[in-house]
């Protein structure tokens, strides 16, 4: 929006160039809960560095967060930078990913070491043995990143806003992640956040190796939206006589596509 307002070029976000590799496996991801719109994951191995840079620690501090470890800090940093919550699992505990729902009176120990009784139907992330995280809210103590973690499974997902909000209220557990999911995040952010995470991790630890293909299960993809609108409609509602050129330029700077036919516009939403 700043780039559009001030007519400046928007600098691209530096991201890792992750390409499909036939020699690498894909993750076993299964979505059984229809409120999970998209689940993107990747595994990274040979992690040797576990302390964040001083700059990152300071930036997190000014955002009200304490530094924990490099991998956890990176998820929090990305949540602040691009708005996408992420979760890092110790790969030793994750043979597969299943997005499912909790059963009645099911118990689960979260990262804060609190045992919680889950409301029936709470969206959960599971491995083959059972739940490992409350989707969109908090991870579990059984898969947390440890000081000796050398391989991680990185989650970047998109969950239904209303489902996350209701679960957070019932559990009385509102987190930085749930506060963002409640606002209906853009599902297109999930691979962007992962590629950005990998770039920052590689900058800090040159030893790391990508151990799987970027696996993306996009269950509820939003359709492309086009809007038919006229210059008269825009000007009548704005109370200002905007020119065709001004309207087109504003929309295109915000990455809308505009097909113009006289004073009629067919606008494609980015």
């Amino acid at each position: 929006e700043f780039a559009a307002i001030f007519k400046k070029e928007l600098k691209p976000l530096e991201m890792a160039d992750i390409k499909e590799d036939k020699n690498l496996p894909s993750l076993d991801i299964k979505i059984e809960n229809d409120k999970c719109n998209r689940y993107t994951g990747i595994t990274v191995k040979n992690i040797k560095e576990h302390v964040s840079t001083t700059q990152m620690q300071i930036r997190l501090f000014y955002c009200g967060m304490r530094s924990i470890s490099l991998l956890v800090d990176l998820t929090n940093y990305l949540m602040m930078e691009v708005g996408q919550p992420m979760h890092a699992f110790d790969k030793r505990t994750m043979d597969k990913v299943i997005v499912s729902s909790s059963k009645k009176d099911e118990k689960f120990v979260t990262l804060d070491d609190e045992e919680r009784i889950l409301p029936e139907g709470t969206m959960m992330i599971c491995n083959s043995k059972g739940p490992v995280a409350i989707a969109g809210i908090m991870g579990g103590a059984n898969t947390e990143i440890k000081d000796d973690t050398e391989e991680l499974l990185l989650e970047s997902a998109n969950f239904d806003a209303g489902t996350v909000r209701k679960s957070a209220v019932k559990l009385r557990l509102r987190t930085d992640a749930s506060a963002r999911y409640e606002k209906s995040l853009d599902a297109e952010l999930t691979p962007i956040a992962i590629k950005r995470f990998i770039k920052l991790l590689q900058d800090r630890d040159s030893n790391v190796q990508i151990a799987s293909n970027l696996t993306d299960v996009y269950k509820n993809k939003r359709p492309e939206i086009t809007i038919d609108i006229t210059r008269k409609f825009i000007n009548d509602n704005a109370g200002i006589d905007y020119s065709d050129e001004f309207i087109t330029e504003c929309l295109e700077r915000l990455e809308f596509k505009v097909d113009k036919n006289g004073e009629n516009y067919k606008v494609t939403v980015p």
Side-chain angles (χ1 to χ4, degrees):
E1 289 175 348
F2 277 114
I5 290 168
F6 295 106
K7 301 184 181 180
K8 299 291 185 181
E9 181 184 354
L10 181 63
K11 294 179 181 179
L13 198 63
E14 291 186 8
M15 297 183 288
D17 183 17
I18 302 174
K19 297 178 180 178
E20 187 172 357
D21 187 337
K22 293 180 180 179
N23 296 318
L24 293 177
S26 293
L27 298 179
D28 185 358
I29 300 173
K30 185 177 182 182
I31 299 177
E32 296 177 349
N33 188 308
D34 62 0
K35 299 300 183 180
C36 176
N37 301 316
R38 187 176 192 179
Y39 196 103
T40 311
I42 197 169
T43 56
V44 181
K45 65 180 182 180
N46 202 36
I47 299 165
K48 303 299 182 185
E49 182 61 65
H50 292 278
V51 180
S52 303
T53 62
T54 302
Q55 182 189 52
M56 182 173 290
Q57 292 183 43
I58 291 171
R59 286 181 172 180
L60 287 172
F61 174 79
Y62 280 121
C63 288
M65 292 185 162
R66 64 185 178 91
S67 175
I68 299 172
S69 67
L70 175 61
L71 301 177
V72 177
D73 288 356
L74 278 170
T75 62
N76 289 329
Y77 191 88
L78 264 295
M79 179 171 64
M80 295 295 176
E81 187 180 49
V82 301
Q84 172 65 42
M86 308 174 78
H87 191 72
F89 298 98
D90 190 314
K91 182 60 176 66
R92 292 172 293 189
T93 64
M94 296 295 294
D95 56 342
K96 62 173 60 180
V97 175
I98 305 168
V99 186
S100 61
S101 303
S102 64
K103 301 178 178 62
K104 186 177 180 181
D105 295 329
E106 188 171 1
K107 295 180 180 179
F108 181 68
V109 180
T110 46
L111 276 171
D112 56 3
D113 290 323
E114 290 284 331
E115 184 178 73
R116 303 177 189 276
I117 299 176
L118 303 171
E120 187 175 4
T122 301
M123 186 164 29
M124 304 296 294
I125 311 300
C126 306
N127 59 17
S128 60
K129 296 179 180 179
V132 295
I134 305 174
I137 300 176
M138 186 178 283
N142 54 349
T143 57
E144 68 178 325
I145 296 295
K146 300 184 183 298
D147 292 339
D148 65 344
T149 298
E150 292 191 356
E151 186 172 5
L152 70 83
L153 187 152
L154 183 63
E155 166 200 289
S156 182
N158 184 275
F159 306 113
D160 174 70
T163 300
V164 173
R165 179 180 58 80
K166 289 174 184 176
S167 294
V169 170
K170 289 178 181 177
L171 288 163
R172 297 180 181 178
L173 182 62
R174 195 164 188 266
T175 61
D176 288 310
S178 70
R180 284 160 177 78
Y181 278 119
E182 288 174 9
K183 296 173 176 62
S184 298
L185 296 179
D186 184 356
E188 298 300 319
L189 279 173
T190 65
I192 292 172
I194 281 188
K195 292 174 182 178
R196 178 66 173 159
F197 181 103
I198 300 298
K199 172 67 170 67
L200 294 178
L201 179 59
Q202 289 173 335
D203 287 347
R204 179 61 172 157
D205 189 347
S206 59
N207 297 298
V208 297
Q209 299 173 358
I210 294 174
S212 78
N213 281 307
L214 182 65
T215 309
D216 187 22
V217 181
Y218 205 159
K219 187 170 184 179
N220 300 324
K221 189 165 187 175
R222 292 180 181 175
E224 185 176 78
I225 297 172
T226 57
I227 299 167
D228 292 306
I229 197 168
T230 65
R231 176 171 175 260
K232 182 178 184 304
F233 179 88
I234 292 171
N235 288 343
D236 286 349
N237 281 272
I240 300 172
D241 187 22
Y242 289 122
S243 67
D244 283 333
E245 292 75 17
F246 181 84
I247 292 171
T248 301
E249 183 186 3
C250 284
L251 290 170
E252 289 180 343
R253 286 207 307 270
L254 288 166
E255 299 184 6
F256 290 84
K257 295 177 183 176
V258 182
D259 291 321
K260 191 169 65 172
N261 181 14
E263 294 195 353
N264 298 312
Y265 309 100
K266 182 180 287 292
V267 181
T268 304
V269 180

